[in-house]
């Protein structure tokens, strides 16, 4: 797990540089300035950290609630062998490490780098919107994880799907699994988060960041099927969640930055449009 953290941090720095063409270390100075300048940003960041912490303890909450429902067979009855078809059609040994890289590293790296890019672009609307989108995605998904549990495709024998992740990351179940429950499938947060970052990037006018987030989202969404993890309905639910959360997040960001603050933020955004 330490290797995952190390490479993720390095990737965040690289992505911030690619997206802003500025020294990534400056992003840390900017976030400090924003926190000193606005108590609202401190509250938003605290809320974001809080919902991420809640997601981390979701599995413990589920165990304490002693819920034993399982909707996996219901989902399989609706979808059949769609995931197996995708996996068999596209499986190629050289492609697997690429997909695993995007699935393991790019999700959180692009998300964290988005904050750095918008800080350096002085685009406060999208900075706040990204934070709100994270909060909304997790706040809406967690109740589904608790009360609509669906197991990952590979773990459901009738689906006939192989867990391709283990070809490249054999220690996945011991090193990464504690971060995500086996039955936390619907909606797909990998879909929701990656698509949210791409949708917000399209509002930024930063073409480099648009391209990076779009490619990342495409690989991640394709990867959830290729690796045998998510069902089609998980992806559709995640996509709907992304559209909903980003739409509301932008409105909340503008409301938070209302008046003089919003005017300054919008002017900064327009000035930095590429």
């Amino acid at each position: 797990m330490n290797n995952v953290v190390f490479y993720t941090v390095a990737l965040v720095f690289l992505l911030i540089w690619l997206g802003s063409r500025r020294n990534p270390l400056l992003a840390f100075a900017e976030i400090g300035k924003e926190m000193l300048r606005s108590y609202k940003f401190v509250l938003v960041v605290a809320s974001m950290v809080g919902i991420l912490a809640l997601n981390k303890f979701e599995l413990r909450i589920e165990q304490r609630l002693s819920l034993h429902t399982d909707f996996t067979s219901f989902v399989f009855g609706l979808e059949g062998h769609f995931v197996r078809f995708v996996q068999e059609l596209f499986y190629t040994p050289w492609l697997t490490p690429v997909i695993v890289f995007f699935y393991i590293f790019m999700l959180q790296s692009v998300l964290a780098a988005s904050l750095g890019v918008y800080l350096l672009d002085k685009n406060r609307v999208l900075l706040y919107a990204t934070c709100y989108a994270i909060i909304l995605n997790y706040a809406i998904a967690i109740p589904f994880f608790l009360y609509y549990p669906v197991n990952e495709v590979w773990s459901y024998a009738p689906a006939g799907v192989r867990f391709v992740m283990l070809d490249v990351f054999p220690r996945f179940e011991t090193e990464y699994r504690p971060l995500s429950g086996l039955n936390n499938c619907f909606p797909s947060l990998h879909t929701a988060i990656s698509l949210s970052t791409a949708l917000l990037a399209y509002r930024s006018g930063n073409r480099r960041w648009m391209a990076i987030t779009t490619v990342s989202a495409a690989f991640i969404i394709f990867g959830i099927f290729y690796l045998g993890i998510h069902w089609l309905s998980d992806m559709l639910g995640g996509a709907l969640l992304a559209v909903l959360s980003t739409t509301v997040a932008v409105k909340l960001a503008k409301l938070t930055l209302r008046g003089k603050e919003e005017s300054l933020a919008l002017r900064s955004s327009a000035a930095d449009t590429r």
Side-chain angles (χ1 to χ4, degrees):
M1 197 62 193
N2 290 333
N3 289 334
V4 173
V5 173
F6 173 79
Y7 288 119
T8 297
V9 171
L11 189 55
V12 169
F13 276 79
L14 176 62
L15 289 170
I16 292 175
W17 177 78
L18 290 173
S20 65
R21 292 296 178 89
R22 297 181 64 189
N23 185 346
L25 293 175
L26 295 176
F28 290 95
E30 289 298 326
I31 198 170
K33 291 179 182 178
E34 187 65 27
M35 285 186 166
L36 290 173
R37 177 170 55 183
S38 174
Y39 73 91
K40 294 178 182 178
F41 186 64
V42 175
L43 293 176
V44 171
V45 171
S47 299
M48 182 174 62
V49 172
I51 198 68
L52 291 174
L54 178 61
N55 179 69
K56 182 178 180 181
F57 291 106
E58 181 270 332
L59 294 176
R60 296 183 184 179
I61 296 173
E62 184 177 338
Q63 290 173 352
R64 290 187 177 183
L65 291 176
S66 299
L67 301 174
H68 301 291
T69 53
D70 182 358
F71 292 90
T72 311
S73 59
F74 169 74
V75 173
F76 177 70
L78 293 176
E79 299 186 18
H81 294 285
F82 171 80
V83 178
R84 187 178 75 178
F85 171 76
V86 172
Q87 193 177 75
E88 291 177 349
L89 181 64
F90 292 100
Y91 175 75
T92 309
W94 67 262
L95 182 58
T96 304
V98 177
I99 298 298
V100 170
F101 168 79
F102 276 88
Y103 188 89
I104 297 295
F105 295 103
M106 287 295 283
L107 180 76
Q108 64 269 23
S109 298
V110 171
L111 181 59
S114 291
L115 300 176
V117 170
Y118 298 140
L119 278 164
L120 294 177
D121 281 353
K122 300 189 184 304
N123 192 333
R124 298 177 72 209
V125 169
L126 289 185
L127 171 66
Y128 279 68
T130 301
C131 295
Y132 280 128
I134 297 171
I135 295 169
L136 290 168
N137 274 310
Y138 279 93
I140 295 172
I142 289 173
F144 281 98
F145 293 164
L146 290 172
Y147 298 106
Y148 185 72
V150 178
N151 289 334
E152 294 178 2
V153 184
W154 67 269
S155 68
Y156 188 67
V161 169
R162 190 167 65 87
F163 192 29
V164 179
M165 174 74 71
L166 300 182
D167 292 358
V168 176
F169 193 176
R171 297 190 303 275
F172 179 88
E173 290 299 318
T174 57
E175 294 191 9
Y176 196 88
R177 175 60 65 191
L179 301 176
S180 178
L182 186 67
N183 62 357
N184 289 357
C185 264
F186 183 90
S188 166
L189 275 179
H190 268 72
T191 297
I193 297 298
S194 61
L195 189 55
S196 291
T197 56
L199 291 173
L200 291 174
Y202 272 82
R203 293 173 179 265
S204 72
N206 184 329
R207 294 182 180 179
R208 288 190 300 275
W209 197 236
M210 285 186 224
I212 291 170
T213 56
T214 300
V215 170
S216 177
F219 271 96
I220 289 172
I221 294 172
F222 171 70
I224 66 175
F225 302 129
Y226 180 92
L227 296 172
I229 297 174
H230 281 286
W231 304 87
L232 177 61
S233 56
D234 301 337
M235 184 275 286
L236 295 176
L240 179 62
L241 177 56
V243 173
L244 173 64
S245 64
T246 53
T247 301
V248 175
V250 171
K251 292 181 180 180
L252 287 174
K254 290 180 179 180
L255 181 63
T256 303
L257 296 167
R258 64 185 179 275
K260 183 177 179 180
E261 283 189 316
E262 180 182 357
S263 176
L264 289 171
L266 291 173
R267 284 204 297 269
S268 296
S269 175
D272 288 331
T273 297
R274 289 163 173 78

